Amino acid sequence: MLKKGILQINYREERSICRDCRNELGQTCIKCEEGSAALIIRVGDAFCKSCFKEYFVHKFRAMLGKNRVVYPGEKVLLAYSGGPSSSAMIKQVQEGLSRDAPKKLRFNPGVLFIDEGAVCAQSWEQRDRVISEIQNVLQKNTFPFHVVPLEQVFSLTRSVLQTNPPTENTEQAENYKQAVSSFLGQQRAHGEDGLLEADALAQLCVADSAGPERTDTLPISTPCSRPPAEYTTALMEIFTSARTQTAKQELLQSLRNHLILHVARTGGYSKVMTGESCTRLADRLLANISLGRGAFLPLDTGFSDHRYGDVVIVRPMRDYSLKEISFYNRFFKVPSVFIPTMDTKAPENSSIQRLSESFITKLQADFPSTVSTVYRTSEKLNVSRTEMKREISQQERCLLCMCNIDTHVGTASAFYATQVSQHLSQKRPTNGTEPGTQCCNKEQCCERSASHPTSAPDTQDFVRLLCYSCRVTLRDLPSVSSLPPYILQEAEHRSHRLEMRKEIQEFLIDEDSDDI
C-alpha cells in the first residue's frame, strides 16, 4: 500500500513513443481531433495535453463513483509514500475537492506518511532530510497530515489485530444515492458549500501547530521528535535477523499495514486510500501466487479490501499504468520525493517480489499488453458479499496479514503433504541408545533437548495462528521472540482461548447442527 522505490519505467518504450511522436508531427488527438498529440498511451491512442488531463481525472472519479465505497462526509486517510503514484493520487483528491470541480469529491481527507528509514539503516540526518522534504510537499495541500515512524509498531496494543464489525456504510451500500442526497441537502440547508475547504484549512493549522491536541492520542512524529532508541534497535534486529529479502519484504508489508490500521482507527478514518497502480498490482499478483497467497488475491489486488471490518482499504489508482502516472506528473509538475528502500538497486533475484517485477517489466517491453492482461485477470477475482460478511465475522485470522487462516484442510491436500514432508526432513536421528534410557548424566537427555528445544512449543503454537504464506515467511526468522510485543501478546491470548475451547468442546453446540 505504501510501496516505494525506483519507478520502474520502461525507458526503451518511452523513447520509441517519443520518437514516433516526432516522426508523425501531423498526428492529432483522437479525442478533440484538433490539438497536436503530446503522447501515445497505447497503440493508436494519441492524446493532446489537455485531453490527457481530462482522461486522467475522469478515470479517477469514475473509479470512485462506480464502486460507491466512499460516502460523503467520511474521513479518508491517504497513504502517502512520496512516490509518483501516491503523489498523483493526492493531486487528484486535491483537485476533486476544489469548489468548481465537476463531480466533486465530498469526503474529508487526511494524509499519512510512514518513515521506514530504520529498515534501510539510514542515519537520523538522512531521515530528517526526507521528512523535511515530505513535509514541504504536504504543506502545499490543505489536508491534515501525520508523519509516523515505523518504530511506533512497538507501542501498539494487541487490539490492532482484532477485526471490528463493519460500519453502517459498509453494510448498506445500496443506500449510497440516499446518503449523497442527504449530504447535499444538509449543505444547502446550512449554506456550507465551502465547509470542507474551511475545515481542511483549520485542521492543517492545528496539525502543524498543535498536532498532539487534535489527534486524541494519535501518535504523530515530527522531524524534531524521534522514537525511543530501543524501538529503533529492536526494529533493525528483526530485519537483520531475517534470512531472505523476500521475508523482509513481507514482514515490512505486514508491520506497515498494522500501523496504517492503527492510525486510521485512532483518527476516526473509515477508509484508507493507497496508490498502487495496475503495473504494481500485476507484479504483486505474480509474487503473491508464488508466495502461496493465491486465496487472498481479491483482497490484495482488488479495488476494496474489507479484511479489517471497520476500516476499508481502497485502491483508486489501480486502473493507471506507471507510464500514464509518470507522464501526468511530468506534464503537470506534480512533485514527488525519491526515498530509497530495501529493494533499491537490488539484483533481480534478490527476492520473489523483485523477480516478479523484473519479469513483468521485461515482458511488457516486448509485449505491451502484458500488464493489462495480468491486471484484468486479477480484476475478475472477487469475493461475494455473503462470503465477505462470513469472513469478517470469522474469528480465526492470521496474526500477520489478518486474512482468514487457510490451513484447515483435509489430509488429501497439497498443504498436508507439504507439512508431512517438512516434518520428516526436520526429524533428527537418534543417538543409538535404547528406548527409555538416558545417554548422559545430565538433568535432561541431550537427545530430548535437541529434538525438543525450549522455544519449540511456543513457536509451534505461534505457527498455528498464521496462514500458509505467513508460515513460509516465519521460517526465515530465527525466533518469534523478536517480533513486536503486541503480536506476541495476541498470540498468547488466542492460544489460551484455543486451549479453553478444547476443554469445553463437548459442552458446545455446533453452529451447523440442525438439532437445536
Side-chain angles (χ1 to χ4, degrees):
M1 179 269 328
L2 287 172
K3 177 70 177 177
K4 306 187 294 294
I6 298 178
L7 179 61
Q8 299 294 332
I9 306 175
N10 189 347
Y11 292 102
R12 184 172 62 182
E13 183 181 356
E14 183 179 346
R15 287 197 300 268
S16 64
I17 291 175
C18 294
R19 184 168 57 252
D20 292 341
C21 290
R22 288 196 298 268
N23 295 337
E24 302 177 7
L25 297 177
Q27 190 170 359
T28 59
C29 175
I30 62 171
K31 185 176 182 181
C32 65
E33 298 182 352
E34 295 178 357
S36 300
L39 77 156
I40 300 176
I41 299 178
R42 288 173 296 272
V43 178
D45 292 345
F47 284 88
C48 64
K49 194 172 180 179
S50 58
C51 290
F52 174 66
K53 183 176 182 180
E54 293 180 5
Y55 157 82
F56 199 92
V57 172
H58 171 75
K59 183 184 287 190
F60 183 84
R61 298 179 190 176
M63 175 66 73
L64 293 178
K66 178 180 65 175
N67 291 276
R68 297 184 177 183
V69 174
V70 181
Y71 278 64
E74 275 191 309
K75 296 184 66 176
V76 178
L77 186 64
L78 309 178
Y80 180 63
S81 65
S85 186
S86 58
S87 299
M89 179 183 67
I90 291 181
K91 181 67 174 179
Q92 291 304 301
V93 174
Q94 184 183 18
E95 293 184 354
L97 291 173
S98 61
R99 186 185 300 271
D100 54 349
K103 296 182 179 179
K104 183 177 179 181
L105 303 178
R106 303 184 184 277
F107 54 82
N108 299 321
V111 183
L112 169 65
F113 172 76
I114 296 181
D115 175 25
E116 302 173 359
V119 177
C120 303
Q122 294 181 352
S123 63
W124 274 111
E125 289 74 15
Q126 294 174 318
R127 298 177 66 178
D128 288 343
R129 191 182 309 115
V130 169
I131 293 177
S132 178
E133 294 180 13
I134 293 293
Q135 192 174 24
N136 292 335
V137 172
L138 296 181
Q139 282 178 344
K140 298 177 182 178
N141 303 317
T142 57
F143 308 148
F145 61 89
H146 317 288
V147 180
V148 183
L150 187 62
E151 290 92 329
Q152 288 286 359
V153 294
F154 288 91
S155 63
L156 301 182
T157 61
R158 64 181 185 86
S159 61
V160 73
L161 298 177
Q162 299 173 1
T163 303
N164 297 333
T167 58
E168 295 181 358
N169 289 340
T170 305
E171 295 178 344
Q172 301 176 353
E174 61 274 5
N175 297 327
Y176 180 82
K177 291 184 178 180
Q178 181 179 355
V180 174
S181 301
S182 176
F183 180 81
L184 295 177
Q186 292 178 2
Q187 279 194 332
R188 286 191 293 266
H190 296 85
E192 297 174 348
D193 187 44
L195 180 61
L196 292 177
E197 290 79 8
D199 286 348
L201 288 173
Q203 290 174 353
L204 176 63
C205 298
V206 175
D208 286 342
S209 60
E213 275 111 3
R214 72 166 287 275
T215 57
D216 300 330
T217 70
L218 181 67
I220 290 186
S221 174
T222 64
C224 298
S225 60
R226 300 177 179 178
E230 55 268 22
Y231 287 0
T232 304
T233 304
L235 183 65
M236 294 178 64
E237 181 182 353
I238 294 177
F239 289 91
T240 304
S241 61
R243 300 185 183 94
T244 63
Q245 188 75 6
T246 301
K248 293 179 182 180
Q249 293 282 357
E250 289 298 298
L251 188 59
L252 175 61
Q253 180 73 16
S254 298
L255 296 181
R256 182 194 299 133
N257 289 342
H258 294 171
L259 190 56
I260 292 175
L261 179 62
H262 170 72
V263 173
R265 286 176 174 173
T266 309
Y269 296 96
S270 56
K271 303 291 188 301
V272 175
M273 283 189 180
T274 59
E276 292 103 330
S277 63
C278 69
T279 309
R280 187 69 67 193
L281 292 178
D283 300 340
R284 181 180 297 178
L285 183 140
L286 292 186
N288 284 7
I289 291 177
S290 304
L291 293 170
R293 296 190 58 83
F296 312 128
L297 287 180
L299 300 178
D300 294 335
T301 63
F303 174 78
S304 58
D305 182 357
H306 297 78
R307 78 181 72 178
Y308 307 114
D310 57 335
V311 177
V312 180
I313 307 297
V314 182
R315 303 181 179 96
M317 303 295 292
R318 68 189 305 266
D319 262 359
Y320 297 98
S321 65
L322 285 179
K323 187 175 76 173
E324 292 174 338
I325 294 172
S326 61
F327 271 111
Y328 177 83
N329 293 349
R330 179 180 179 182
F331 283 164
F332 305 104
K333 297 179 173 57
V334 179
S336 59
V337 181
F338 168 71
I339 305 174
T341 59
M342 288 192 301
D343 59 348
T344 301
K345 295 185 178 181
E348 294 180 359
N349 58 351
S350 61
S351 65
I352 293 179
Q353 297 89 342
R354 183 70 180 87
L355 190 61
S356 301
E357 180 182 356
S358 176
F359 173 75
I360 290 290
T361 302
K362 291 181 177 180
L363 200 59
Q364 176 74 10
D366 298 327
F367 304 95
S369 61
T370 299
V371 170
S372 60
T373 302
V374 176
Y375 165 71
R376 297 303 174 189
T377 302
S378 68
E379 200 174 32
K380 298 176 183 177
L381 303 174
N382 294 309
V383 180
S384 64
R385 182 165 300 181
T386 303
E387 184 73 12
M388 184 190 308
K389 291 182 179 180
R390 187 185 68 83
E391 290 182 355
I392 291 175
S393 61
Q394 189 173 352
Q395 296 298 322
E396 291 183 300
R397 319 281 289 192
C398 177
L399 279 174
L400 295 182
C401 68
M402 297 184 67
C403 291
N404 289 333
I405 297 180
D406 57 349
T407 56
H408 299 310
V409 293
T411 56
S413 62
F415 172 75
Y416 184 79
T418 303
Q419 292 295 100
V420 172
S421 176
Q422 180 184 357
H423 176 72
L424 295 176
S425 63
Q426 293 180 349
K427 188 175 181 180
R428 297 177 180 270
T430 60
N431 293 332
T433 57
E434 294 294 332
T437 61
Q438 196 169 1
C439 61
C440 55
N441 296 326
K442 298 181 180 180
E443 295 180 358
Q444 188 178 10
C445 177
C446 59
E447 177 184 346
R448 186 183 306 171
S449 62
S451 59
H452 300 284
T454 305
S455 59
D458 296 336
T459 303
Q460 292 175 0
D461 292 340
F462 189 89
V463 166
R464 294 192 190 100
L465 304 174
L466 302 178
C467 65
Y468 173 75
S469 177
C470 293
R471 291 186 182 191
V472 175
T473 300
L474 196 66
R475 294 176 193 169
D476 294 325
L477 292 179
S479 175
V480 298
S481 59
S482 59
L483 293 175
Y486 72 97
I487 297 179
L488 302 179
Q489 293 171 3
E490 179 66 13
E492 183 180 4
H493 174 73
R494 295 187 185 183
S495 298
H496 290 166
R497 288 183 61 89
L498 290 175
E499 293 177 1
M500 184 183 303
R501 184 179 182 85
K502 290 180 180 179
E503 294 178 358
I504 62 174
Q505 183 67 38
E506 56 182 290
F507 304 103
L508 298 178
I509 300 178
D510 189 1
E511 295 180 358
D512 299 331
S513 177
D514 297 332
D515 301 333
I516 301 180

